[in-house]
Amino acid sequence: MRDIVLVSSKPHEEIKTLVVNEIEFLDMFDALKEIKKDFQALVFTSKNAIKSLEQNIQKYPEFEFLKKIPCYVIGQSSAMALEKYGFNVEYIGEDSHGFGFASEIIPMLKKKKVLYFRAKKIVSGLDELLLNASVKLKQIIAYENKKNSVDRALKPSPKSILIFTAPSHYLSFVQNFSWDGSYIAVAIGMTTFGIFDTSIEAFVSPRQDLQSCIDFAREIARRLA
């Protein structure tokens, strides 16, 4: 049976994990204090942005009003995180790719003032798609994904199935180890899939949550055993 390795920013108790990034939640006080209460929508494409905002609201309770604003979120797992923290979930995207998600929400956001909580670096192009559609968009950097230097002795064995839940995890992995042509990659969604080199054997998880990625990778391993 092939090894299955989650390439991520935090360990997972169920599966072998290679931590190649660390997430830094940023203090958003200076950005949030400029926000008036006339914003009509919040956009999220990452649970890290949600967790960072919740952390900031806990630290600065005066921003609790943000939880009443309708939220437009790219996936079910992120929607569950919003609900857990008491946010107002308005729409859950069906498409996990930035372009598809943008196409879904642009008709709903065109006449609204929108806050987009995001990573310092993004590859989905969602910001440009919304701005080009004349959405009144303000972006707030909620977190930064930083690359770790990883011992090369930890490089996964040949023929491993590697699970990637963010584009930055793939980029950090390649910078640390380079790519073995016998690897198989599993992406949590189309944005992550789109960052892969075209020469690698790669698949997209049928559902955009970590457990589905793990189950899908195990299914591939069984088929190839």
Side-chain angles (χ1 to χ4, degrees), residues 193-205:
F193 182 82
I195 204 72
F196 292 160
D197 190 279
T198 55
S199 65
I200 75 176
E201 184 176 4
F203 302 90
V204 180
S205 173

Side-chain angles (χ1 to χ4, degrees), residues 145-197:
N145 213 329
K146 295 185 173 181
K147 181 175 76 71
N148 285 340
S149 294
V150 185
D151 186 344
R152 288 190 58 82
L154 297 175
K155 182 174 182 176
S157 59
K159 298 186 177 181
S160 292
I161 299 173
L162 308 180
I163 299 171
F164 297 94
T165 57
S168 57
H169 299 159
Y170 169 73
L171 295 173
S172 293
F173 179 89
V174 172
Q175 288 171 17
N176 273 292
F177 300 114
S178 73
W179 190 261
D180 186 305
S182 68
Y183 290 153
I184 293 175
V186 172
I188 197 169
M190 288 302 298
T191 299
T192 301
F193 182 82
I195 204 72
F196 292 160
D197 190 279

Side-chain angles (χ1 to χ4, degrees), residues 193-220:
F193 182 82
I195 204 72
F196 292 160
D197 190 279
T198 55
S199 65
I200 75 176
E201 184 176 4
F203 302 90
V204 180
S205 173
R207 292 180 56 193
Q208 280 65 63
D209 62 81
L210 180 53
Q211 188 57 53
S212 294
C213 288
I214 293 171
D215 293 342
F216 184 54
R218 286 172 174 165
E219 180 184 331
I220 294 172

Side-chain angles (χ1 to χ4, degrees), residues 21-75:
N21 286 69
E22 62 180 47
I23 302 298
E24 180 184 355
F25 294 154
L26 303 179
D27 188 295
M28 295 185 278
F29 180 80
D30 288 340
L32 292 175
K33 72 180 181 181
E34 305 297 328
I35 301 301
K36 297 180 181 179
K37 295 186 179 182
D38 59 345
F39 277 86
Q40 300 158 291
L42 309 182
V43 170
F44 298 94
T45 56
S46 164
K47 282 195 292 186
N48 288 320
I50 297 165
K51 291 176 181 177
S52 180
L53 179 56
E54 172 63 15
Q55 188 177 90
N56 275 267
I57 290 173
Q58 291 293 323
K59 188 175 181 180
Y60 308 116
E62 60 265 42
F63 303 121
E64 184 80 21
F65 72 90
L66 291 168
K67 293 190 176 184
K68 298 180 181 179
I69 300 174
C71 297
Y72 297 74
V73 60
I74 201 167

